[in-house]
Amino acid sequence: MPGPGAYWFGKEETEAVMEVIQSGYLFRYGSENDPKFLHKVYTLEKEFAKYCGSHFALATSSGTSSLIASIVALGLKPGDEMIVPAYTFVASYSSIIFSGLVPVLSEIDESLTLDPDDIEHRITSRTKAIMPVHMLGNPCDMDRIMAIAIKHNLVVLEDSCQAAGASYKGKKIGTIGNMGAFSLNIFKTINTGDGGLVITNDKNLYETAFGVHDQGHKPSRLGVEVGARSVIGLNFRMTELTAAVALAQLIKLDKIVNTLREKRSKFKSLISGTKGFKFRTLNDADGDCATLCTVIFDTKEQATKVSKSLGSKTLDQSGWHVYANMEHILNHLKQVGQPHTKGSYPRTDDILSRSMNISIGVVDGGLGAGWGININSTNAEIEATGKQFNDACK
């Protein structure tokens, strides 16, 4: 099942899609002299930049392409090292590897995001960047991460793919580092099936990322720029159809996040008196997306018992979100002289083995969040789910 945005698909999305189809223009670039060309991609970029408070936004085909375009734009070179958490989606690693860089994994803390205490001893002369991942919609401890980055002259790419709508101390995530990358995948707060966005305040970074996403062209090209291209790019462009759905969803984003926060708050109040677990740390209690309620049990045995009784699983079993479960990534790291096995990151392994995701908005068994509620759950349904959890903990 999908993320929260999909539950609220309605006439706005339908009308936006039909308008684009009837215009006859599905490609990002249409006839500028034809009033039927709707400029949906351009409008999405403008509106998302405004929403985030950034100077520039770039619409792409996926969160992964957003990450790749950003990595190249930041001037990172083959062989450079980028620090990334040992708990993230596989795309964080694959985008680094495809860009010719070396991912250097680091421990998480009980926020389930990058542990600032584990970063500095991972830094070498080859380290050029940090990729904090706002995992499960929870912002990282960006104050401490940025202080480390500044101290060591490192660039910061915020992997915000699971956290559109989140903020950290009053700033939208993605605007704190040098660049921010977002996903509009089916399991995200804004759901267009697939799609992505990049934000930055740096014009040069924006123009380079644009070239990477559009075969080397400058922003908003109108024709073939023979002789004017300086960037080798690919085709990561978004279509007018995808942008139309994204715009309809963006209008609802704050309402989606606020609704999720209300429902999670009610659910947490129903289970907070139960012993044997604690809630994960929120680096900004008012800023995360509330797509999930993550509980960390006192013991691995209790976590396994409760999760199994509810038809769910502990997070160490959540597929391609855990470094030890990514055989293709582990094979690559071994080939480049960095062999990894389960146990390489003991704190991460311990936390994940004791943690369970309860769905509030994102219903995704692959994320270990196949059980819980959703954004449309009634109070009665939330109460019943809370009771079921409490009974399982007894």
Side-chain angles (χ1 to χ4, degrees):
M1 296 181 72
Y7 287 97
W8 283 11
F9 276 169
K11 66 177 183 179
E12 298 91 349
E13 287 81 4
T14 301
E15 290 174 355
V17 168
M18 290 306 300
E19 185 183 25
V20 170
I21 292 173
Q22 290 167 2
S23 76
Y25 291 100
L26 305 186
F27 185 43
R28 173 180 180 127
Y29 304 109
S31 173
E32 295 297 314
N33 298 320
D34 189 342
K36 291 182 179 180
F37 177 46
L38 301 174
H39 299 88
K40 292 290 186 180
V41 177
Y42 173 76
T43 302
L44 172 63
E45 292 171 338
K46 181 175 68 175
E47 291 302 315
F48 193 72
K50 180 180 178 182
Y51 174 83
C52 293
S54 62
H55 293 163
F56 305 98
L58 169 67
T60 69
S61 57
S62 70
T64 306
S65 57
S66 293
L67 289 169
I68 293 173
S70 298
I71 290 170
V72 177
L74 287 166
L76 301 173
K77 306 298 183 184
D80 287 347
E81 295 178 349
M82 175 178 272
I83 295 173
V84 62
Y87 176 56
T88 182
F89 185 55
V90 65
S92 302
Y93 303 137
S94 60
S95 61
I96 294 171
I97 293 169
F98 261 91
S99 302
L101 278 64
V102 179
V104 175
L105 278 57
S106 187
E107 298 271 23
I108 62 168
D109 58 25
E110 290 190 345
S111 70
L112 274 64
T113 66
L114 192 62
D115 182 358
D117 288 335
D118 194 54
I119 294 176
E120 285 199 87
H121 78 95
R122 309 278 179 187
I123 296 174
T124 72
S125 60
R126 298 181 297 279
T127 306
K128 304 300 179 184
I130 303 174
M131 181 188 285
V133 181
H134 303 301
M135 193 65 178
L136 311 179
N138 185 20
C140 299
D141 186 343
M142 291 304 297
D143 282 348
R144 294 186 63 195
I145 291 172
M146 292 304 297
I148 293 168
I150 292 169
K151 176 181 176 181
H152 295 276
N153 194 30
L154 306 176
V155 296
V156 175
L157 168 56
E158 296 179 64
D159 183 338
S160 310
C161 289
Q162 294 187 1
S167 60
Y168 178 79
K169 298 187 176 181
K171 294 182 179 180
K172 290 295 184 186
I173 51 95
T175 65
I176 303 164
N178 300 86
M179 303 185 81
F182 296 80
S183 170
L184 309 183
N185 174 267
I186 185 173
F187 294 111
K188 307 304 190 292
T189 46
I190 297 180
N191 168 21
T192 63
D194 256 323
L197 288 155
V198 175
I199 58 174
T200 184
N201 288 323
D202 187 304
K203 182 179 180 182
N204 290 329
L205 294 179
Y206 162 68
E207 290 187 348
T208 305
F210 194 103
V212 174
H213 114 291
D214 189 21
Q215 298 168 334
H217 292 286
K218 299 269 187 175
S220 300
R221 66 180 170 99
L222 301 179
V224 179
E225 300 172 320
V226 176
R229 288 164 291 186
S230 60
V231 177
I232 298 174
L234 299 168
N235 176 9
F236 293 153
R237 295 185 301 262
M238 180 181 284
T239 70
E240 288 281 283
L241 277 174
T242 300
V245 176
L247 278 166
Q249 290 261 288
L250 178 59
I251 293 170
K252 304 174 183 180
L253 181 55
D254 282 343
K255 186 177 180 181
I256 286 172
V257 172
N258 288 334
T259 301
L260 292 173
R261 289 172 180 165
E262 291 172 5
K263 291 182 183 289
R264 186 181 65 182
S265 179
K266 179 173 181 59
F267 181 80
K268 289 177 74 171
S269 71
L270 293 169
I271 68 172
S272 60
T274 303
K275 296 181 180 180
F277 71 88
K278 58 185 172 183
F279 299 109
R280 74 164 167 170
T281 300
L282 298 179
N283 292 310
D284 183 338
D286 299 318
D288 84 315
C289 290
T291 48
L292 298 159
C293 177
T294 304
V295 293
I296 304 175
F297 290 91
D298 296 342
T299 67
K300 177 180 179 180
E301 291 72 24
Q302 176 75 341
T304 301
K305 170 185 170 293
V306 173
S307 61
K308 282 188 175 181
S309 69
L310 296 172
S312 189
K313 55 192 172 186
T314 51
L315 295 193
D316 59 334
Q317 303 299 314
S318 59
W320 283 359
H321 297 90
V322 183
Y323 77 96
N325 298 337
M326 305 180 192
E327 67 282 354
H328 53 331
I329 300 297
L330 296 182
N331 287 338
H332 172 83
L333 292 174
K334 183 178 180 180
Q335 291 172 10
V336 298
Q338 292 190 359
H340 286 66
T341 59
K342 187 171 184 178
S344 296
Y345 301 91
R347 188 172 189 213
T348 297
D349 293 334
D350 172 60
I351 292 170
L352 296 181
S353 72
R354 295 186 290 112
S355 298
M356 174 185 173
N357 279 336
I358 300 167
S359 170
I360 303 297
V362 172
V363 184
D364 179 7
L367 194 60
W371 180 88
I373 63 174
N374 64 62
I375 194 170
N376 290 328
S377 293
T378 64
N379 284 339
E381 290 169 337
I382 296 171
E383 290 170 1
T385 304
K387 183 179 185 302
Q388 190 178 1
F389 178 83
N390 289 335
D391 289 344
C393 290
K394 293 178 180 177

